[in-house]
Amino acid sequence: MAEVLSLHDAVARYVDDGATVAMEGFTHLIPFAAGHEIIRQGKRDLTLVRMTPDLIYDQLIGAGCVKKLIFSWGGNPGVGSLHRLRDAVEKGYPHKVEILEHSHAAMACAYEAGAAGLPLAVLRGYIGSDLPKVNDQIKFIDCPFSGERLAAVPSIRPDVGVVHAQKADRKGNVLVEGIIGVQKEAVLAARHSIVTVEEIVDDLEATPNACVIPGWAIDAIAVAEKGAYPSYAHGYYPRHNRFYKEWDTIARDRDSFNAWLEENVYNAGGAS
Amino acid sequence: MSLEYTSAEMMTVTAARALENGTTCFVGIGLPSEAANLARLTHAPDVVLIYESGTLQTKPDVLPLSIGDGELCETALTTVSVPEMFRYWLQGGKIDVGFLGTAQIDRYCNLNTTLIGDYTAPKVRLPGGGGAPEIATNAGEVFITLKHSRRTFVDGVDFVTTLGFGRDGKGRDGVPNIGKGPTRVITDLCVMKPDPETRELVVVSLHPGVTAEQVQEATGWEIRFAEALETTAEPSEKELEVLRELKARTERHHSGE
């Protein structure tokens, strides 16, 4: 049963140094507040999983929290590169980050397989791509029924799944609306899960087929108002596209990144 | 007949025209998205646009900056999860056209969006595959649009992120359940199509005012030209007007909060 904790306590309890953490949200509902709390608590040697690393992983990588990154598209959407990710991969700053890259289809299938408790995901993928040459976690198997050669990747089963959602009710049931990405899969595939929400309400007012994650399938709920900013929360606030563009300048330079981090993360308090 | 337009506009309009009304199109972000929405706002009102964020049959009023902008969800018929998008809709064979951009392309339409240089010590690290590797093989066919230069049109991509026809042009031969692959490449200079036999790209149409020498100059290998080389039709006044309004709306939208 989900326990309502402060964001500080939720991160302190469930995110250990060296853990594999999946923080999801496909452009939408990216758990920035939780990511900043992980940075503030100085977590180290994390293996981060995420389809689209986005600014949040750029920040975690630049802050030195990350040992390994598993991803399928690592850019600043519509803007360009993730400069902290590139600096780590190309120049080893602040230290070398190991990368393991997939395609979106494979990661989406791997999350689904993780949620389904399977050891692997099977897909018609990676045909003719060089990715299997550089990622030993991509294999091919023959379908036992048709003989068709199909790709197989291990399921994603992180230690901690972290997502942001619009709201939870008082029993910790969570409603996710809009672009739902792999939010539900990331929670269900993980050993422990933290869901940050914009607010806690009496009634979710969910329609019958809405994406609702039951409270008993979640470990911790933490209220984080504007917790997905500068990404967006459908029905609450829009994506701050201008900041995404400005990030290109902030993150390009190590000093300006570190100054930004100091001012906006380390000195920005956070719920204790 | 003396409309003023840029080579970028020529590219977008030509790419848009490639998309027929009523087709289902899995749209990449950037140039493909611009072209696909121009098609929808001009000759192809019933084109079905699908983005990998899960937005099905979306009709954005402004071009999305990211693949998952709220605008895509708000104007979609429905929004599904990302696993559903890739498994049911793409892998399930419901997509006619995959519309992609790329950082590098070679003569067999192999695409590289992973890196420049060596994998373990990249000169430039690019974003990676995203949806493209499976869009290119699971969609019925693939259109590619990008700017033409020696940096993008290379003699052998550094990394095959996404299959065109393989290093030898035979990468799809004998593979079951695979789409036709790239059927046209649209740049700011010309339109190319793969040779039906060898799969090597052939220039079939030059944009107005562009010479074969210019195309060769901007291509990293000795590019072939069709015997019956055509001149691409100019953009119409209407197409230019719709495109410029769309871009102005988009610019205003993304420069705000």
Side-chain angles (χ1 to χ4, degrees):
Chain A
M1 177 60 84
E3 199 177 338
V4 178
L5 297 174
S6 69
L7 182 52
H8 173 276
D9 291 354
V11 167
R13 186 183 300 181
Y14 292 111
V15 182
D16 295 328
D17 286 351
T20 297
V21 183
M23 308 180 73
E24 276 297 346
F26 204 93
T27 305
H28 177 218
L29 293 174
I30 299 175
F32 274 95
H36 291 177
E37 186 56 36
I38 290 173
I39 293 174
R40 270 192 297 274
Q41 292 189 22
K43 301 296 182 187
R44 287 293 177 268
D45 297 324
L46 301 177
T47 292
L48 293 184
V49 188
R50 185 176 158 77
M51 294 181 68
T52 56
D54 203 89
L55 273 48
I56 187 173
Y57 279 13
D58 213 29
Q59 292 165 4
L60 281 149
I61 289 165
C65 305
V66 185
K67 182 182 68 180
K68 182 175 176 180
L69 176 67
I70 301 173
F71 73 106
S72 44
W73 194 87
N76 179 347
V79 178
S81 294
L82 292 176
H83 297 292
R84 292 300 94 221
L85 167 61
R86 277 186 58 180
D87 205 14
V89 172
E90 294 168 19
K91 307 219 168 66
Y93 177 88
H95 50 74
K96 194 82 185 166
V97 169
E98 187 191 338
I99 59 170
L100 199 64
E101 61 183 310
H102 280 286
S103 65
H104 278 349
M107 282 195 77
C109 291
Y111 270 117
E112 196 185 47
L118 287 170
L120 87 168
V122 175
L123 69 151
R124 185 176 289 125
Y126 291 121
I127 299 167
S129 172
D130 283 343
L131 284 165
K133 295 179 187 167
V134 297
N135 179 345
D136 64 6
Q137 299 288 290
I138 302 167
K139 309 279 190 201
F140 292 91
I141 58 169
D142 294 329
C143 167
F145 306 105
S146 66
E148 185 179 354
R149 189 170 180 263
L150 297 165
V153 293
S155 59
I156 296 173
R157 304 178 90 168
D159 295 318
V160 194
V162 183
V163 303
H164 186 72
Q166 278 91 349
K167 50 192 165 186
D169 67 18
R170 299 194 190 281
K171 290 184 173 158
N173 303 307
V174 166
L175 176 67
V176 192
E177 285 184 304
I179 289 174
I180 52 177
V182 290
Q183 316 279 83
K184 188 169 164 181
E185 289 78 8
V187 167
L188 298 182
R191 202 152 57 85
H192 292 294
S193 58
I194 301 172
V195 181
T196 57
V197 293
E198 289 296 322
E199 59 177 335
I200 291 182
V201 297
D202 290 326
D203 183 353
L204 291 178
E205 291 170 15
T207 55
N209 300 105
C211 183
V212 171
I213 308 173
W216 49 264
I218 297 167
D219 289 291
I221 302 281
V223 176
E225 209 181 314
K226 289 204 105 181
Y229 185 86
S231 83
Y232 70 104
H234 188 100
Y236 285 76
Y237 46 91
R239 192 173 189 264
H240 192 176
N241 281 328
R242 204 180 61 208
F243 181 79
Y244 271 80
K245 290 180 175 176
E246 287 164 1
W247 184 252
D248 193 64
T249 312
I250 296 167
R252 197 177 281 270
D253 177 75
R254 291 174 186 173
D255 291 339
S256 69
F257 167 74
N258 287 325
W260 181 89
L261 200 64
E262 199 63 34
E263 187 181 336
N264 296 282
V265 179
Y266 291 124
N267 294 337
S272 58
Chain B
M1 272 304 289
S2 60
L3 276 174
E4 298 230 348
Y5 55 87
T6 66
S7 58
E9 287 172 333
M10 182 70 211
M11 168 166 60
T12 303
V13 168
T14 308
R17 284 176 179 171
L19 212 50
E20 284 175 33
N21 197 21
T23 49
T24 54
C25 178
F26 204 108
V27 189
I29 205 70
L31 292 175
S33 170
E34 189 176 308
N37 280 289
L38 178 62
R40 183 178 59 80
L41 295 170
T42 52
H43 69 279
D46 296 322
V47 69
V48 174
L49 303 187
I50 293 173
Y51 289 72
E52 66 195 14
S53 51
T55 52
L56 213 69
Q57 203 166 333
T58 181
K59 301 180 171 185
D61 186 49
V62 296
L63 296 171
L65 183 66
S66 85
I67 202 86
D69 276 19
E71 177 76 12
L72 292 173
C73 177
E74 281 154 22
T75 59
L77 174 66
T78 185
T79 298
V80 301
S81 74
V82 169
E84 178 177 327
M85 177 53 73
F86 280 99
R87 291 173 71 75
Y88 298 0
W89 299 96
L90 179 62
Q91 188 175 273
K94 306 289 192 288
I95 308 296
D96 297 323
V97 177
F99 214 141
L100 299 174
T102 184
Q104 277 189 339
I105 183 169
D106 66 19
R107 73 178 73 209
Y108 292 119
C109 290
N110 300 301
L111 310 181
N112 174 19
T113 53
T114 302
L115 56 90
I116 309 296
D118 177 67
Y119 191 80
T120 49
K123 220 181 297 172
V124 180
R125 179 61 230 198
L126 300 166
E134 281 76 22
I135 294 171
T137 53
N138 286 322
E141 61 184 309
V142 180
F143 299 164
I144 298 157
T145 183
L146 75 162
K147 281 192 178 166
H148 213 131
S149 81
R150 286 209 168 223
R151 217 159 48 88
T152 52
F153 282 74
V154 296
D155 190 12
V157 290
D158 290 9
F159 189 93
V160 179
T161 312
T162 298
L163 178 71
F165 297 100
R167 299 275 189 193
D168 58 0
K170 300 187 171 92
R172 287 174 190 258
D173 295 0
V175 179
N177 304 313
I178 193 167
K180 274 191 278 186
T183 52
R184 67 183 83 193
V185 179
I186 302 118
T187 74
D188 48 344
L189 299 180
C190 63
V191 178
M192 286 152 282
K193 291 185 178 179
D195 179 291
E197 298 289 319
T198 66
R199 308 297 183 192
E200 184 175 335
L201 273 179
V202 177
V203 179
V204 295
S205 174
L206 292 172
H207 296 341
V210 174
T211 64
E213 289 71 29
Q214 266 176 285
V215 172
Q216 180 56 71
E217 187 53 39
T219 307
W221 70 88
E222 201 176 315
I223 184 117
R224 290 173 51 202
F225 294 86
E227 279 175 32
L229 192 57
E230 293 179 4
T231 302
T232 319
E234 284 199 312
S236 71
E237 209 173 322
K238 170 85 194 288
E239 284 166 325
L240 288 172
E241 186 188 311
V242 173
L243 175 60
R244 286 167 188 171
E245 277 175 15
L246 175 64
K247 294 197 75 161
R249 273 203 304 279
T250 299
E251 180 61 33
R252 278 197 301 276
H253 182 84
H254 293 320
S255 55
E257 278 277 310

